[in-house]
Amino acid sequence: MTRSRVRVGLAFDSFDRDQHGLFLFVQNWYDESYMKIALIHNLYPPYSKGGAETVVVNTVQALISAGHEVFVISSAPFGEQIDMVDGVRVYRRCAGNVYSFADGKSHYFVARLIWQCVNMFHVRQAQWVRDVLQKEKPDVVHTHNLMGMSFLIPRVIKKLHIPHVHTLHDVQLVEPSGIVIYNRQSSFRYHNPFSFLYKKIVSFLFGSPDVVISPSQFLLDWYRQCGFFANTKQLLVMKNIQGSVVHTIVKQSTQTFRFLFAGQLEEHKGINVLLDAWSQVSKQHVQAHLGIAGSGTMDSAVIEFANKNESVSRLGRLTQTQLSDELMKTDMVIFPSICIENSPTILFESIQSGTPVIASDMESVREIVREGVEGYLIPVANSGVLAEKILWCVKNAEKVRALSARMSEVQKQKQASVDELVGVYTKCHCEEERSDDVAI
């Protein structure tokens, strides 16, 4: 397929609050590899909750850098608007549900049940997505998290005969909260009539996208065991696109051994385990410091803990640049999650910066962190073992820093991932065109 297009667009270049530049660009395009791609995700900057948003932003920017046209469809806390975010056209619309997607933790079971029913069968939101796709006419649609948008969207994409690629980020298609506590997945909490009905409905609504991508083999196997994506043509394990690759890593070394936690300040992310372990560590009066970055419902507990411990700093929510700077000052990242994880972004960011990790030992994490190579694995939800490993790292600082030095040769994951992803898009698009030709 050869594609010839003339693209006309408006771009805004903001120098400061009082000065704006406006220019018109016309670009002749004659490139058979050029594609127009729609990415659909429930949150997009400035709205964000965690690593999934980072992955989506990295994917958008990487695709644009590779010469493709990308627009995003997402949600909004109110109203309907079209924004420009870093040169990307973003369609947003408030779902008008019982409460906003980001506000679910503060509501009780009945409200959540009503919200979830609306979410699954949100016809108006699905119709709005259909209208945007018909207007933009993308070559392929790549969906990420659709919780809070509408689970009817995959059916809309299929009816429009647009190739559909979906990336898995967590277990939210199986468990509405998106959280399954590790080693409790067989409990009644996750195997009851409501859970069974939810899985059946979502599996039916979601159907079988042309391609399903999972960053971990573990999560892909999990969904297949739950009966999802039975007729999907391709089930792929593909690592998420990361941010800019650091070619030369210069770690800032100090006498104090510095640890960092970066993520959601939530119980399922192991905050209680971390605080309990650090309480044990602080009694040993070792020369170590813990920085805690992020936000969440346990923010007040972290503030209180930091106020009582001189060796702990609450860093708040960091931008991507601030996180990169903090990693350069960090000797070891701690990842104490107690829930089933997919492919945590912080682990890749740590490895990319040459920072080893102490991580909870679970299937998906083992696909990223190898014992004694990228860091160390500890039993899930065991604060005693975590405290022992922290103390071991402090006492063996030179061994840990030597590990960091060996990690400094970072693979160029970004461009390889972009090429691989575009290859998936192209194959889907060509197969859709061939099926259209057969139908004609």
Side-chain angles (χ1 to χ4, degrees):
M1 175 189 69
T2 301
R3 186 182 291 271
S4 180
R5 289 191 181 185
V6 176
R7 294 199 302 162
V8 181
L10 291 175
F12 294 88
D13 186 19
S14 175
F15 302 102
D16 53 48
R17 283 188 173 184
D18 302 315
Q19 185 177 16
H20 296 276
L22 174 65
F23 62 91
L24 176 70
F25 68 91
V26 179
Q27 183 176 20
N28 290 313
W29 207 289
Y30 187 82
D31 185 357
E32 63 181 11
S33 64
Y34 161 77
M35 300 191 80
K36 185 174 184 179
I37 303 153
L39 265 78
I40 306 180
H41 184 62
N42 51 15
L43 294 172
Y44 198 79
Y47 312 109
S48 177
K49 284 186 71 177
E53 285 70 63
T54 301
V55 169
V56 171
V57 170
N58 288 340
T59 302
V60 168
Q61 295 302 326
L63 288 168
I64 291 174
S65 297
H68 303 283
E69 182 181 354
V70 183
F71 66 94
V72 175
I73 301 176
S74 189
S75 65
F78 51 84
E80 181 180 331
Q81 66 249 22
I82 304 174
D83 299 332
M84 292 297 292
V85 179
D86 296 328
V88 179
R89 194 164 56 259
V90 182
Y91 292 85
R92 305 185 198 266
R93 183 180 186 274
C94 176
N97 206 328
V98 178
Y99 52 82
S100 67
F101 166 69
D103 195 31
K105 293 180 183 290
S106 61
H107 294 272
Y108 292 108
F109 174 77
V110 175
R112 291 186 186 187
L113 180 62
I114 296 172
W115 186 93
Q116 197 58 251
C117 291
V118 174
N119 173 65
M120 288 191 290
F121 303 99
H122 204 317
V123 175
R124 289 172 59 189
Q125 196 78 346
Q127 289 174 337
W128 169 72
V129 171
R130 178 201 62 195
D131 294 343
V132 173
L133 293 177
Q134 287 179 327
K135 171 188 171 183
E136 290 282 355
K137 296 180 173 58
D139 296 310
V140 64
V141 177
H142 189 166
T143 55
H144 288 259
N145 282 350
L146 297 182
M147 185 72 75
M149 298 283 288
S150 173
F151 285 158
L152 293 176
I153 290 174
R155 291 184 165 268
V156 166
I157 298 169
K158 187 173 183 179
K159 285 185 178 180
L160 292 175
H161 299 287
I162 305 173
H164 180 198
V165 177
H166 180 73
T167 290
L168 298 168
H169 287 277
D170 54 29
V171 296
Q172 65 180 223
L173 301 183
V174 175
E175 162 57 38
S177 69
I179 301 166
V180 175
I181 301 302
Y182 192 76
N183 284 336
R184 296 184 192 171
Q185 50 265 52
S186 299
S187 67
F188 182 75
R189 166 64 181 82
Y190 306 112
H191 291 274
N192 57 65
F194 287 107
S195 297
F196 178 80
L197 183 61
Y198 175 81
K199 281 186 281 190
K200 287 296 183 183
I201 292 174
V202 175
S203 177
F204 172 75
L205 294 177
F206 223 86
S208 295
D210 297 293
V211 178
V212 172
I213 297 172
S214 173
S216 72
Q217 185 66 52
F218 168 76
L219 193 69
L220 191 59
D221 292 342
W222 172 283
Y223 273 100
R224 293 175 72 178
Q225 290 168 7
C226 291
F228 279 74
F229 316 126
N231 297 316
T232 292
K233 299 172 186 175
Q234 280 187 291
L235 297 169
L236 302 176
V237 176
M238 186 188 301
K239 297 304 179 187
N240 289 323
I241 295 175
Q242 303 303 313
S244 300
V245 175
V246 179
H247 295 284
T248 303
I249 298 171
V250 181
K251 302 289 285 185
Q252 301 175 24
S253 182
T254 62
Q255 287 187 340
T256 300
F257 198 97
R258 301 180 67 88
F259 293 88
L260 174 69
F261 170 91
Q264 297 177 46
L265 304 186
E266 303 290 348
E267 185 177 358
H268 65 272
K269 290 297 182 180
I271 286 294
N272 285 333
V273 176
L274 175 62
L275 299 186
D276 186 41
W278 198 263
S279 294
Q280 299 174 50
V281 170
S282 60
K283 293 176 182 177
Q284 302 300 316
H285 304 290
V286 293
Q287 204 165 359
H289 181 271
L290 171 64
I292 301 178
S295 60
T297 57
M298 294 195 67
D299 204 10
S300 58
V302 170
I303 293 172
E304 182 181 354
F305 188 80
N307 288 339
K308 294 178 180 178
N309 293 269
E310 293 182 358
S311 62
V312 179
S313 297
R314 174 186 170 270
L315 304 175
R317 190 178 183 89
L318 303 180
T319 65
Q320 204 61 37
T321 301
Q322 290 171 331
L323 177 58
S324 298
D325 292 342
E326 199 64 37
L327 286 169
M328 288 297 101
K329 298 182 289 185
T330 298
D331 294 297
M332 179 73 73
V333 166
I334 301 176
F335 182 76
S337 179
I338 64 171
C339 69
I340 288 178
E341 295 283 354
N342 177 16
S343 187
T345 304
I346 185 59
L347 296 184
F348 288 101
E349 291 169 331
S350 301
I351 294 167
Q352 197 174 49
S353 70
T355 309
V357 299
I358 300 174
S360 296
D361 186 7
M362 56 183 74
E363 290 86 345
S364 56
V365 173
R366 279 185 229 126
E367 295 181 33
I368 306 167
V369 179
R370 294 167 293 176
E371 180 72 22
V373 180
E374 289 85 12
Y376 306 99
L377 299 171
I378 60 168
V380 178
N382 193 320
S383 60
V385 175
L386 175 56
E388 290 173 5
K389 183 57 71 175
I390 291 172
L391 290 169
W392 183 91
C393 289
V394 175
K395 293 174 183 177
N396 295 272
E398 293 306 315
K399 289 184 179 180
V400 175
R401 286 166 180 156
L403 192 70
S404 175
R406 291 196 296 271
M407 292 169 61
S408 295
E409 284 298 319
V410 182
Q411 296 179 353
K412 297 180 181 180
Q413 297 176 4
K414 182 177 180 179
Q415 188 58 47
S417 295
V418 172
D419 292 342
E420 192 176 0
L421 185 59
V422 171
V424 171
Y425 292 162
T426 303
K427 184 177 179 180
C428 283
H429 186 67
C430 290
E431 288 179 352
E432 183 65 33
E433 284 194 330
R434 281 198 294 269
S435 65
D436 288 345
D437 291 342
V438 171
I440 292 172

